[in-house]
Amino acid sequence: MIPGKVRNYIKNNFKEGRVACLTGAGISAESGIPTFRGKGGLWERYDPQIYANAPGLISILRTHPEELVNFIVDFYSILLKAHPNLAHRALAVLEKENILSSTITQNIDGLHQQAESQNVIELHGNAFRIRCIQCSQLVVLEKDKLREMIESFKINKNSYIKILKVLSRYFPRCAICGSRYRIDIVLFGEILPADELSRAYKHLNNCDVLLLIGSSLIVYPAAGLPLYAKERGAKIIEINNEPSSLSDLCDYIITGRASEVLPEILGVLGYA
Ligand code: OAD
Ligand code: ZN
């Protein structure tokens, strides 16, 4: 599936610690998590103007709490069931073999860590974590606790006040500064975590090759990272099942499913 020219490039240029990758929802599609855009995508079923930004979420909580609960239940039921697929696992192997320096991801599903990648940079946060709105203290949201929270939401779904009570139970006040916790997901219009972004730039400054995997690359600033790497001399390889908005920027394109292409790359490098 990988064209011969690209195979040769990979064989000769994937040097120790000189490869980075940027992943998007497409890498988790085969773990059962729908992508955002395209057929069957999350934003086809839920309007991102409501469900992906803070004012929209607050307003739907007040006016239609049951619809917000349906969204949360739908979203988390899928995430809680998902397991890493062969693509996540192949990246973890590439990291272990010291080829891949880092996995920069737009995903919030935690599947790279579940696949045992160590150096994961989460540009858009993590759905299994809460963050203090004041001091940014992070706390892991255990899966059992999340399941319990979902059940409480379901029981109380028709009442705004009852939902608020459930929220205050699972999003308590910060033990350090007394402010509230919120989910650690970057919503539309919010700034990306500065430390994660600067770690990403550091790795892009030091890579020869950047793999773009399973992303439409239309959401900035994440979609600005490939150009940043390219301007610093990196070659760009896209692995996607259809062209992205940055395909023209890429030096090599591999069209296919991430879970098939990435194991094949392991084979090319002799790690399969
Ligand atoms: P998108 O849904 O925009 O794009 C997913 C891409 O993956 C598309 O280009 C698909 O063609 C491709 N794809 C689907 N299945 C694939 C497979 N099995 N193998 C390879 N490629 C596949 O998702 P993202 O680009 O990740 O932001 O979206 C970027 C951001 O927009 C997300 O992080 C999220 C969203 O709004 C926030 O939550 C802030
Ligand atoms: Zn705090």
Side-chain angles (χ1 to χ4, degrees):
M1 183 190 288
I2 303 177
K5 199 173 90 172
V6 193
R7 292 178 85 88
N8 286 337
Y9 177 80
I10 290 170
K11 234 185 244 167
N12 298 326
N13 293 279
F14 275 34
K15 308 252 167 68
E16 233 174 65
R18 304 296 301 174
V19 182
C21 70
L22 171 63
T23 68
I27 196 167
S28 297
E30 288 163 79
S31 293
I33 303 175
T35 58
F36 293 96
R37 297 167 185 85
K39 211 167 170 292
L42 194 69
W43 298 153
E44 198 176 67
R45 289 182 289 131
Y46 296 99
D47 180 355
Q49 294 309 325
I50 297 172
Y51 292 98
N53 77 64
L57 288 167
I58 291 165
S59 142
I60 192 107
L61 167 64
R62 286 219 182 95
T63 56
H64 297 93
E66 71 292 351
E67 286 183 22
L68 179 64
V69 168
N70 290 344
F71 169 71
I72 294 171
V73 171
D74 191 5
F75 181 72
Y76 272 106
S77 306
I78 293 167
L79 285 188
L80 282 163
K81 271 194 293 209
H83 295 286
N85 64 53
L86 291 176
H88 300 101
R89 298 204 185 282
L91 290 180
V93 172
L94 282 179
E95 184 192 88
K96 203 158 164 261
E97 297 293 345
N98 288 325
I99 297 290
L100 193 69
S101 69
S102 56
T103 298
I104 306 167
T105 188
Q106 300 165 82
N107 297 345
I108 53 170
D109 54 31
L111 291 181
H112 288 302
Q113 292 92 330
Q114 265 195 57
E116 293 184 8
S117 282
Q118 305 294 322
N119 207 359
V120 181
I121 299 171
E122 293 178 312
L123 297 176
H124 293 165
N126 187 307
F128 298 102
R129 223 167 36 212
I130 53 177
R131 162 172 46 93
C132 171
I133 54 171
Q134 184 64 35
C135 73
S136 298
Q137 162 85 352
L138 298 173
V139 176
V140 170
L141 203 46
E142 299 296 344
K143 292 191 175 173
D144 282 346
K145 214 167 172 192
L146 253 171
R147 288 191 188 96
E148 196 187 283
M149 179 177 82
I150 287 173
E151 289 312 309
S152 307
F153 275 141
K154 282 193 204 162
I155 298 166
N156 297 294
K157 70 192 267 181
N158 293 316
S159 159
Y160 167 58
I161 299 296
K162 285 182 179 170
I163 293 291
L164 279 185
K165 279 192 184 152
V166 177
L167 281 171
S168 63
R169 190 170 346 128
Y170 291 94
F171 294 84
R173 291 203 174 273
C174 170
I176 296 171
C177 77
S179 272
R180 277 269 169 218
Y181 283 104
R182 57 162 276 180
I183 199 73
D184 186 29
I185 297 176
V186 176
L187 299 170
F188 282 5
E190 295 183 334
I191 49 167
L192 271 57
D195 46 347
E196 295 295 278
L197 203 51
S198 68
R199 274 175 71 210
Y201 285 127
K202 201 179 103 203
H203 284 285
L204 296 179
N205 284 334
N206 293 304
C207 76
D208 297 332
V209 184
L210 175 63
L211 305 175
L212 306 178
I213 308 166
S215 176
S216 61
L217 296 164
I218 64 169
V219 175
Y220 283 80
L225 297 180
L227 184 60
Y228 181 88
K230 177 114 183 163
E231 283 171 351
R232 277 149 191 82
K235 295 283 183 208
I236 314 284
I237 304 179
E238 176 166 275
I239 300 168
N240 216 320
N241 64 357
E242 61 184 26
S244 76
S245 69
L246 295 184
S247 293
D248 288 346
L249 184 82
C250 297
D251 298 279
Y252 298 99
I253 290 181
I254 307 172
T255 304
R257 293 171 179 215
S259 67
E260 289 168 9
V261 175
L262 285 163
E264 210 183 324
I265 289 182
L266 288 186
V268 171
L269 296 169
Y271 298 128

